Amino acid sequence: MVSSTKTIVISGYYGFKNSGDEAVLKSILTALEEQGKAAGIKIEPVVLSINPEWTSSMYGVRAVHRMQLGEVRRAIQESDGLISGGGSLLQDATSPKTIPYYLAIIKIAQWLKKPTFIYAQGVGPVNRKIFNPMIRSVFRKCSYISVRDIQSGELLQSMGIRSEDIHIVPDPVMGMPLPEQNNEELADLSVSGEEELPVIGISVRFWDKERRELNAIADALTDLARKRPVHLRFLPFYQPEDEQASQYIADKMGDITSYGGKISFYREEQEPQDMLLEVSRCDLILGMRLHSLIYAANQRVPLIGISYDPKIDHFLKRLDSAPIGSSQSLVPADLTRHLITMLDSLEAWKEEHSAQITQLKQESQNPARHIVEFLGNRR
């Protein structure tokens, strides 16, 4: 039984059709709905998006343009609070404008006397020290702070945020379910079920200007294909760049059918859960994109990470793992050996990491639970 309705504005990197960030939004919306139902509270989200029409159509929620600050202010004014997150919002590696924007959105809510919640963010890197006092000032006024890894928490502590005010939680996507129409219908569509070849899902992106990591991956996969037949399934998480990076590797590899293998591309994604389903069909994931690795863990698919950013290392550490290499240093022979080792021990990997993954999935609901409880106690 619903006892009240609460409107919450959600700020993040939404509407850009980046599969990982859209998965974060889908996961937050799902968790808020589930926790709201459990508490007898109807949560009405309003999403700040670069493409409000698309976001509204995709998720069935109200959305306003994230760059129309008049609309943003009105939405926050009419709400019961603001969520900032998840994802890597507070970092200046991609642009010096990112941190000021997201802090400004939180500050608007605080000026309007609305509670503000930091939802499973990955904080950093923050290379420009001028941002530290800005983050400290805004975060100290937040009603709840959660970050997705210990390192983000330590960075906030170094800026002057008390450790007791910081909650370490998993990435929200650890709790995202498969599409509702799965089970028998979707089992019939399983990629790995169509053939005897092991399916390796591959998520890559452009990062190193000289493409050293992509060249190394191409060399390693070519060597692997010579040694055993595999189905290499490229999974572009961000269009069109990731598909171009994938095609770059495929072009370098050439035809592997003479070795009994095959290469394919997944291009049918309509929403984040589609990609999650595609990952679930793979036997092994080789990923640069953080959320390719999180999707794999979500579905208990063995994974190998290649680091281009500390967030990759931080997530893998939660699984007592480490990247096989980085965008600056990746040895093809090492990657080939590791791929073969993993292919020969898939069930052992699943058994070894089962308890960790179960705990991460359960804990991924903590921010939504806390926020719903907070809103439920406000009259």
Side-chain angles (χ1 to χ4, degrees):
M1 179 179 176
V2 176
S3 60
S4 63
T5 299
K6 300 291 182 180
T7 301
I8 191 85
V9 175
I10 306 177
S11 167
Y13 191 74
Y14 306 134
F16 294 89
K17 302 184 182 180
N18 179 312
S19 183
D21 290 287
E22 297 304 328
V24 166
L25 175 57
K26 177 67 176 181
S27 302
I28 291 175
L29 293 172
T30 300
L32 288 172
E33 181 180 14
E34 291 178 1
Q35 295 303 319
K37 285 181 179 179
I41 299 172
K42 182 180 181 182
I43 301 295
E44 292 190 347
V46 180
V47 177
L48 306 186
S49 170
I50 197 67
N51 190 338
E53 294 79 12
W54 181 83
T55 296
S56 291
S57 174
M58 176 61 64
Y59 303 106
V61 299
R62 183 184 163 208
V64 300
H65 200 291
R66 59 181 260 144
M67 301 308 293
Q68 300 294 328
L69 292 186
E71 292 183 31
V72 170
R73 187 185 186 282
R74 280 192 296 273
I76 296 173
Q77 177 70 72
E78 296 167 358
S79 76
D80 295 289
L82 171 86
I83 287 173
S84 179
S88 302
L89 305 185
L90 296 182
Q91 52 81 25
D92 59 1
T94 56
S95 169
K97 299 177 182 178
T98 303
I99 292 175
Y101 170 80
Y102 289 111
L103 289 180
I105 298 299
I106 302 171
K107 195 65 182 175
I108 290 171
Q110 293 174 348
W111 281 335
L112 295 171
K113 309 298 184 185
K114 302 296 182 179
T116 51
F117 312 99
I118 308 301
Y119 198 121
Q121 284 196 21
V123 182
V126 181
N127 298 307
R128 299 164 178 85
K129 299 308 177 188
I130 190 174
F131 291 140
N132 289 7
M134 298 167 61
I135 295 172
R136 178 173 63 247
S137 174
V138 171
F139 271 45
R140 281 181 172 175
K141 295 183 177 71
C142 289
S143 300
Y144 174 74
I145 300 170
S146 61
V147 293
R148 69 185 181 195
D149 52 63
I150 293 171
Q151 293 77 12
S152 294
E154 291 173 343
L155 180 56
L156 289 179
Q157 289 181 58
S158 74
M159 296 178 186
I161 306 299
R162 300 185 308 171
S163 61
E164 56 265 37
D165 293 334
I166 303 169
H167 302 260
I168 311 296
V169 299
D171 188 285
V173 178
M174 281 301 303
M176 187 168 71
L178 287 171
E180 291 182 2
Q181 72 272 25
N182 60 82
N183 301 329
E184 293 183 8
E185 175 187 347
L186 296 180
D188 292 339
L189 301 174
S190 170
V191 172
S192 58
E194 295 173 357
E195 59 194 333
E196 295 181 1
L197 293 179
V199 180
I200 302 176
I202 302 164
S203 165
V204 293
R205 61 165 298 163
F206 289 123
W207 190 256
D208 180 72
K209 291 180 180 179
E210 297 177 12
R211 302 186 178 179
R212 286 173 293 183
E213 79 278 67
L214 298 186
N215 291 332
I217 292 169
D219 290 345
L221 293 176
T222 302
D223 189 26
L224 172 68
R226 290 194 186 106
K227 292 177 176 176
R228 66 170 64 185
V230 288
H231 177 178
L232 304 178
R233 179 78 162 158
F234 285 96
L235 309 174
F237 270 66
Y238 189 61
Q239 295 285 7
E241 289 87 347
D242 287 10
E243 181 160 353
Q244 293 166 357
S246 300
Q247 190 65 56
Y248 175 83
I249 291 176
D251 289 344
K252 280 191 69 69
M253 293 185 64
D255 185 9
I256 65 170
T257 56
S258 60
Y259 307 127
K262 66 183 287 189
I263 293 175
S264 67
F265 288 75
Y266 176 61
R267 298 186 173 98
E268 293 75 37
E269 181 184 13
Q270 298 296 319
E271 58 179 288
Q273 287 169 298
D274 294 341
M275 184 65 87
L276 181 66
L277 174 62
E278 194 64 26
V279 167
S280 76
R281 297 168 174 167
C282 296
D283 296 296
L284 174 64
I285 292 292
L286 172 64
M288 285 183 67
R289 287 284 184 189
L290 172 64
H291 281 97
S292 70
L293 303 175
I294 295 174
Y295 280 27
N298 176 307
Q299 291 300 301
R300 293 178 165 80
V301 176
L303 55 92
I304 299 172
I306 297 171
S307 179
Y308 74 93
D309 184 283
K311 63 187 180 183
I312 304 295
D313 306 67
H314 298 164
F315 175 70
L316 291 173
K317 190 172 182 179
R318 299 197 75 166
L319 293 175
D320 294 329
S321 299
I324 186 61
S326 71
S327 52
Q328 291 80 36
S329 177
L330 179 62
V331 180
D334 290 346
L335 178 54
T336 302
R337 280 194 296 271
H338 196 52
L339 284 163
I340 292 173
T341 298
M342 290 287 281
L343 287 171
D344 290 337
S345 57
L346 297 176
E347 292 307 316
W349 189 97
K350 294 176 185 179
E351 184 176 344
E352 179 183 352
H353 296 283
S354 177
Q356 292 168 318
I357 291 172
T358 297
Q359 183 174 352
L360 290 175
K361 290 171 79 74
Q362 292 171 346
E363 292 177 355
S364 68
Q365 291 279 329
N366 287 351
R369 185 179 302 112
H370 186 102
I371 292 167
V372 168
E373 288 177 359
F374 184 98
L375 294 176
N377 290 331
R378 285 174 67 90
R379 295 291 182 256

